[in-house]
Amino acid sequence: MVELCASCTSLGVDIISVESIPDNGIAVLYSMPQCVWRINVDIPEEANQNLSFGATERWWEQTDLTKLIISNNKLQSLTDDLRLLPALTVLDIHDNQLTSLPSAIRELANLQKLNISHNKLKILPEEITNLRNLKCLYLQHNELICISEGFEQLSSLEDLDLSNNRLTTVPASFSSLSSLVRLNLSSNQLKSLPAEINRMKRLKHLDCNSNLLETIPPELAAMESLELLYLRRNKLRFLPEFPSCSLLKELHVGENQIEMLEAEHLKHLNSILVLDLRDNKLKSVPDEIILLHSLERLDLSNNDISSLPYSLGNLHLKFLALEGNPLRTIRREIINKGTQEVLKYLQSKIKDDGPSQRDSATETAMTLPSESRVNIHAIITLKMLDYRFKMLPEVLYRIFTLETILISNNQVGSVDPQKMKMMENLTTLDLQNNDLLQIPPELGNCVNLRTLLLDGNPFRVPRAAILMKGTAAILEYLRDRIPT
């Protein structure tokens, strides 16, 4: 590489850097030396001298310029002589004062990387859409207000940076950039994203920090390839669910107005490593946070959280930020000691308190008569309980998402029909081979049950003939026996 200042010297290289470095006393360019544009055309002066050159020394006959770096100058324009460098694969003109690009840029058919960041561009020439081999396009820190028509024709584009401009919309045609892996739209004035964004099947990194987004299209949650999602400093009040984002490793939604974090937001984030929720309006953290087995960094700072689920202590977190919350259940001195001390404290509360959780909070674990411990998060997630015990714990009646309870071959002596009726999602109840001396008639009001198995218990009614007729007949029989 060679640095050219106010003059140009021809040397045997395929890279020219005309980059000012003021601290080193190198002059700043206001216009390009003509010899740079013509380096592939003109025979160098030394070739006209009466000198003998070997084949390997006649560089002007062997190579064309492929990389041109003219960054950190004060160039206000480039001429159409740019077409004299058709072999360019890299053109770096960042940190100048360019307000436009020459139309001749369309003739750089081999260009793969174009860096025009930190200039003063308001629009892009349509000719840029002819660069079908372009893989990296850096346009950050300009004054762009819109995106050129035909931009979707850049079918080879893998890395696109449009951050720190003045964009208010992203055209739906963007979805045709099927090769795009990284898209940076941060620090613009976007109020929405096109639903068609989910057609970018290879997109792994999406940065929409510092915009005016109030909602996220639900289609974004179907982007199976997405690994990094940045939505900080927007106006989001709700999060979408992420049913298809099984590869998502980092989710940054700090500095928004999110008021609620629910189980549906978390249960599909199987690969999540970093979850940034700082500076929102969250009042609680769902027990289902324990399902994020891969989570390493969790930032909950500056919210309205007053208590935490003790089960959080079972996560293998490397970083947990809690500052700026009105926490009542964890002393400040423990928080000040750092992540590991907080996790140890939460773990100790699980062991000490058993089924009790936090002040007026939901249990996350229950102790059965056998002193065994059941993970309620697993029950909520699987929507099924299959466990051995002697009595039906009260906490089960409060897991309203349960669909199946299998408690056959135990010693259960009674069930509460009123509480069972509140479990509207329960469709299967297997009570076979237990110690039920009677079946309460009010159990017949559990009309959502599709399978009720009662064989092998010591009760006298319903009789075996009724049991053999199936669930509907059993429920009807029980309802008929409810006292009026």
Side-chain angles (χ1 to χ4, degrees), residues 192-464:
S192 63
L193 296 174
E196 293 81 358
I197 195 171
N198 68 331
R199 296 178 189 170
M200 296 180 175
K201 299 299 183 183
R202 295 186 59 196
L203 194 65
K204 294 183 179 181
H205 182 150
L206 176 59
D207 190 341
C208 296
N209 283 345
S210 302
N211 277 283
L212 304 173
L213 299 174
E214 297 181 358
T215 59
I216 298 298
E219 290 81 1
L220 184 144
M223 300 180 72
E224 297 179 357
S225 60
L226 201 60
E227 296 183 5
L228 305 175
L229 178 58
Y230 294 84
L231 297 167
R232 295 184 67 180
R233 292 183 294 277
N234 279 282
K235 297 185 176 181
L236 300 177
R237 296 184 62 190
F238 305 98
L239 273 181
E241 299 174 21
F242 297 93
S244 299
C245 297
S246 59
L247 298 179
L248 192 63
K249 292 180 172 61
E250 295 188 17
L251 176 59
H252 299 263
V253 288
E255 298 178 71
N256 278 281
Q257 301 170 22
I258 299 171
E259 299 178 353
M260 187 175 297
L261 184 66
E262 298 182 338
E264 297 301 314
H265 299 137
L266 303 175
K267 67 180 183 179
H268 299 291
L269 301 178
N270 302 324
S271 302
I272 199 76
L273 299 175
V274 177
L275 181 57
D276 171 16
L277 292 161
R278 64 172 297 135
D279 292 280
N280 277 285
K281 298 181 179 180
L282 296 176
K283 291 181 171 58
S284 63
V285 178
D287 297 328
E288 288 76 12
I289 194 77
I290 190 64
L291 299 177
L292 306 183
H293 301 297
S294 300
L295 192 63
E296 295 180 354
R297 299 180 63 85
L298 175 60
D299 193 340
L300 297 170
S301 55
N302 300 319
N303 278 278
D304 297 324
I305 300 169
S306 58
S307 62
L308 293 172
Y310 295 148
S311 57
L312 188 63
N314 288 331
L315 290 177
H316 301 291
L317 294 174
K318 296 179 181 178
F319 174 82
L320 173 61
L322 299 171
E323 298 80 5
N325 284 285
L327 288 168
R328 298 192 300 268
T329 55
I330 305 180
R331 298 190 305 274
R332 176 61 51 188
E333 62 187 70
I334 295 176
I335 295 176
N336 291 340
K337 289 181 179 179
T339 296
Q340 297 310 312
E341 288 300 316
V342 172
L343 296 180
K344 287 179 183 178
Y345 172 80
L346 293 173
Q347 289 172 352
S348 70
K349 298 302 289 184
I350 294 176
K351 296 176 182 178
D352 294 344
D353 294 2
S356 65
Q357 164 63 347
R358 40 184 160 160
D359 296 341
S360 67
T362 303
E363 294 88 343
T364 62
M366 62 184 179
T367 302
L368 303 177
S370 63
E371 298 303 322
S372 299
R373 190 175 296 279
V374 172
N375 189 331
I376 285 186
H377 303 295
I379 298 173
I380 292 173
T381 304
L382 297 174
K383 300 181 181 178
M384 181 179 75
L385 173 67
D386 185 1
Y387 204 80
R388 294 190 59 80
F389 46 80
K390 297 180 180 180
M391 58 186 296
L392 198 63
E394 284 291 314
V395 67
L396 286 184
Y397 294 116
R398 295 196 289 276
I399 306 179
F400 299 118
T401 56
L402 269 181
E403 298 175 355
T404 302
I405 297 181
L406 308 175
I407 50 175
S408 62
N409 299 295
N410 282 281
Q411 299 175 19
V412 175
S414 64
V415 293
D416 188 328
Q418 303 299 332
K419 294 178 180 178
M420 194 75 73
K421 183 182 177 182
M422 300 295 293
M423 303 172 71
E424 297 180 351
N425 292 307
L426 188 64
T427 59
T428 299
L429 177 60
D430 185 350
L431 289 165
Q432 296 179 100
N433 301 316
N434 276 282
D435 293 338
L436 294 170
L437 294 175
Q438 62 178 355
I439 303 299
E442 291 80 3
L443 192 62
N445 290 328
C446 298
V447 294
N448 292 321
L449 284 174
R450 297 293 176 264
T451 302
L452 174 60
L453 303 175
L454 298 172
D455 299 283
N457 283 280
F459 58 76
R460 292 187 176 185
V461 291
R463 295 186 180 276

Side-chain angles (χ1 to χ4, degrees), residues 463-477:
R463 295 186 180 276
I466 299 295
L467 300 182
M468 292 177 61
K469 292 181 180 180
T471 299
I474 296 172
L475 294 177
E476 183 179 1
Y477 172 88

Side-chain angles (χ1 to χ4, degrees), residues 105-240:
I105 197 169
R106 65 185 173 192
E107 300 185 32
L108 303 184
N110 295 302
L111 202 61
Q112 297 181 21
K113 178 180 177 181
L114 177 58
N115 189 346
I116 329 172
S117 62
H118 295 270
N119 278 281
K120 298 182 178 181
L121 299 176
K122 288 184 171 60
I123 58 172
L124 292 174
E126 292 185 10
E127 289 82 359
I128 203 171
T129 62
N130 288 0
L131 305 178
R132 304 300 169 82
N133 289 312
L134 197 62
K135 293 183 178 181
C136 304
L137 179 56
Y138 303 120
L139 295 163
Q140 65 268 31
H141 290 276
N142 276 281
E143 301 172 10
L144 297 173
I145 57 176
C146 64
I147 298 171
S148 307
E149 289 291 330
F151 203 82
E152 66 278 4
Q153 296 177 34
L154 298 174
S155 56
S156 298
L157 203 58
E158 298 177 0
D159 190 352
L160 175 59
D161 195 333
L162 286 161
S163 62
N164 291 279
N165 279 283
R166 301 176 183 176
L167 301 175
T168 56
T169 59
V170 175
S173 59
F174 244 45
S175 61
S176 298
L177 297 174
S178 57
S179 297
L180 207 60
V181 174
R182 178 181 177 272
L183 175 59
N184 192 342
L185 296 169
S186 64
S187 299
N188 278 283
Q189 300 171 24
L190 302 176
K191 294 184 178 180
S192 63
L193 296 174
E196 293 81 358
I197 195 171
N198 68 331
R199 296 178 189 170
M200 296 180 175
K201 299 299 183 183
R202 295 186 59 196
L203 194 65
K204 294 183 179 181
H205 182 150
L206 176 59
D207 190 341
C208 296
N209 283 345
S210 302
N211 277 283
L212 304 173
L213 299 174
E214 297 181 358
T215 59
I216 298 298
E219 290 81 1
L220 184 144
M223 300 180 72
E224 297 179 357
S225 60
L226 201 60
E227 296 183 5
L228 305 175
L229 178 58
Y230 294 84
L231 297 167
R232 295 184 67 180
R233 292 183 294 277
N234 279 282
K235 297 185 176 181
L236 300 177
R237 296 184 62 190
F238 305 98
L239 273 181

